Amino acid sequence: MNHPQESNTEARLRRALSLQADTVEPTMNALDDITRRTESATGATRARGLLLLAAASVVVIGLAAFLTLRDGGDDPVIVADGGGTGTGTTSTTEAPDDAPPATDERTDYGVFISPETFDDPVDAARFFIEDYLASGSRPGIADATYTEFMQGDNNSGEVGVRRGQNGPLTTLFIRKADDGKWAVTGAASDSITLEKPEVLGTISSPHDVAGVSTAFEGTVNITLLADGVADPLVETFAMGGSNGDFDIFVTTLEWDESDLDVPCEPGAACAPHGATLLVFESDASGDGVVSSISMIRVALA
Amino acid sequence: MMAVMEPQPGEPGSPSGEYIPRRATLADLYEAHYAELVRLATLLVHDQATAEELTQDAFVKWATDAPRLDEPAKAGAYLRSMVLNAARSEIRRRGLRNRLRLLPDRSAEPSPGGPEHHAVADDDARAVLAALATLSERQREVLVLRYWLDLSEKEIAEALGMAPGTVKSHAHRALAALEDLLEKQR
């Protein structure tokens, strides 16, 4: 192909990449391996024993403890241990004293996923799974079954949710809003532990998302939803562990300021824009049904 | 550069004219895209074995999601995006492994400038590839997609999940940095 407008550097780069690519000779008959793995994946059952989950929990807790020690406790770690009423250390970000006052009224639901609140905490859980999570291209957790509300203190508690009766457990964290009613603030999956970003942390594009997971074909799906914005800011995925083996997943989220409902002008001081970060695994059916999910609230700088 | 399947009856460019999306089979997609995607992944992760592994992962993932992505053009874009994302994850995992020292140390993990680079006999090409390896991950991805796959800014934006304007700025800065590095080598 002729590229008359290109500089010398561009031409050299094009040639170098072409020469390097030409040295790669893909393995013959890889289609057989792909076909075999596909048949295995679609025919496999996803049952996992309690022993495997216990072993996985040890790995997760060990990794979290290591990271905490390594960072001298400065870097909050989120542990999906299924217990307690939160997902680990919580921090809020405040503007420095000498920062100019915020100039924009941007949408921010604070610690909650949405302004909707409910008299019954299980209804709040149901709203998250069947309305919030299931909207748009996100099919949500099909045939969800819910545990009873397990109250922690007067203002918070948990509701467990599974796909059907035996699906993997996702623990939803529920808290009372100012109106005395309940709403969801976070979710923790036994199979996906988010290490970064931190809960209620302030993030800006680009920003790394990292954690450990075990999921079907190693794939965890990642969606970033800005408060009050219909379309996801980011929809992507990352590769972690599979078949019960936990491994690290890492990817970088990038989004455009212009996609927020009130974009911040360059150089202006803007209030944070609330957002929800969803990291979830889909089941083996291929229809995109969510089988478990970890979710945190963040603020977009 | 991109391998293209021949138009089938009922597809754009076919004699019958009427557009009816054809369901791509795994064999179709393998024939059209596998070799190219392995090469693309190798350019990014510098290790053909890993490149093949993550390319095969992408095909398996496509096959299990096939009911939603069976148009050939969409399937090809989906596979490319899968491979790019997996290559990025692989590079990050290597970095995290080294940093955390938690997972088995893959001493065989290649680095930029490793065997795949030395396989290129041309001195100038080796110099360019070495300079390319010093750029950021995103910059390298944009340049590889632009100058090896010949993708447009819009296609690169879709493949990498970023805005076309971001692609443009990445490409501009990456080329300037590359030019600067190559100039210093003189």
Side-chain angles (χ1 to χ4, degrees), chain A residues 1 3 6-35 37-38 41-42 62-63 66-67 70-71 137 196 208 210-211 216-217 219 221 233-241 246-256 282-288, chain B residues 1 26-27 30 34-36 38-39 42-43 46 48 52-53 55-57 59-61 63-68 81-83 85-86 88-89 92-93 96-97 99-103 106 116-117 119-120 122 124-129 132 137-138 143-144 146-148 150 160-164 166 170 175 178-179 182-183 185-186:
Chain A
M1 190 178 292
H3 302 275
E6 287 188 352
S7 68
N8 181 46
T9 302
E10 289 173 297
R12 290 170 70 190
L13 174 60
R14 189 181 293 282
R15 179 172 169 274
L17 289 171
S18 177
L19 286 171
Q20 191 187 8
D22 287 347
T23 67
V24 179
E25 278 303 322
T27 308
M28 300 288 285
N29 301 324
L31 181 59
D32 293 342
D33 292 336
I34 294 168
T35 303
R37 287 183 55 199
T38 300
T42 51
L63 176 61
F66 177 88
L67 288 170
R70 183 202 56 163
D71 291 341
S137 60
K196 289 183 176 181
D208 284 347
F216 176 64
E217 285 295 334
T219 305
N221 302 284
L233 280 188
V234 182
E235 282 185 300
T236 185
F237 64 92
M239 304 303 289
F246 280 82
D247 201 350
I248 295 166
F249 66 88
V250 193
T251 192
T252 302
L253 306 187
E254 293 186 75
W255 61 92
D256 270 2
S282 300
D283 67 11
S285 65
D287 55 8
Chain B
M1 179 68 67
L26 188 59
Y30 176 84
Y34 183 77
E36 182 183 71
V38 168
R39 292 187 176 108
T42 306
L43 289 173
H46 307 289
Q48 187 177 335
E52 295 236 22
E53 188 180 319
T55 303
Q56 291 182 19
D57 286 346
F59 276 83
V60 172
K61 173 83 173 144
T64 55
D65 278 351
R68 290 183 298 147
S81 182
M82 289 283 291
V83 166
N85 218 339
R88 197 177 307 133
S89 289
R92 303 294 177 79
R93 269 204 297 272
L96 268 185
R97 277 195 185 93
R99 195 154 58 84
L100 300 178
R101 304 283 181 208
L102 281 178
L103 299 172
R106 291 186 179 178
E116 273 69 23
H117 275 146
V120 178
D122 184 275
D124 183 66
R126 275 213 303 269
V128 172
L129 293 172
L132 180 67
E137 189 180 297
R138 277 298 199 199
L143 291 188
V144 168
R146 174 74 185 88
Y147 293 100
W148 185 63
D150 268 328
L160 297 178
M162 59 173 66
T166 310
H170 272 309
L175 266 181
L178 194 66
E179 195 163 341
L182 293 172
E183 189 64 31
Q185 288 177 2
R186 287 191 173 189

Side-chain angles (χ1 to χ4, degrees), chain A residues 78-90 156-158 171-175 185-188 199:
Chain A
I78 305 151
V79 182
D81 59 5
T85 57
T87 53
T89 308
T90 299
S156 64
E158 301 172 3
T171 302
L172 302 181
F173 304 107
I174 320 269
R175 179 172 287 276
T185 63
V199 175

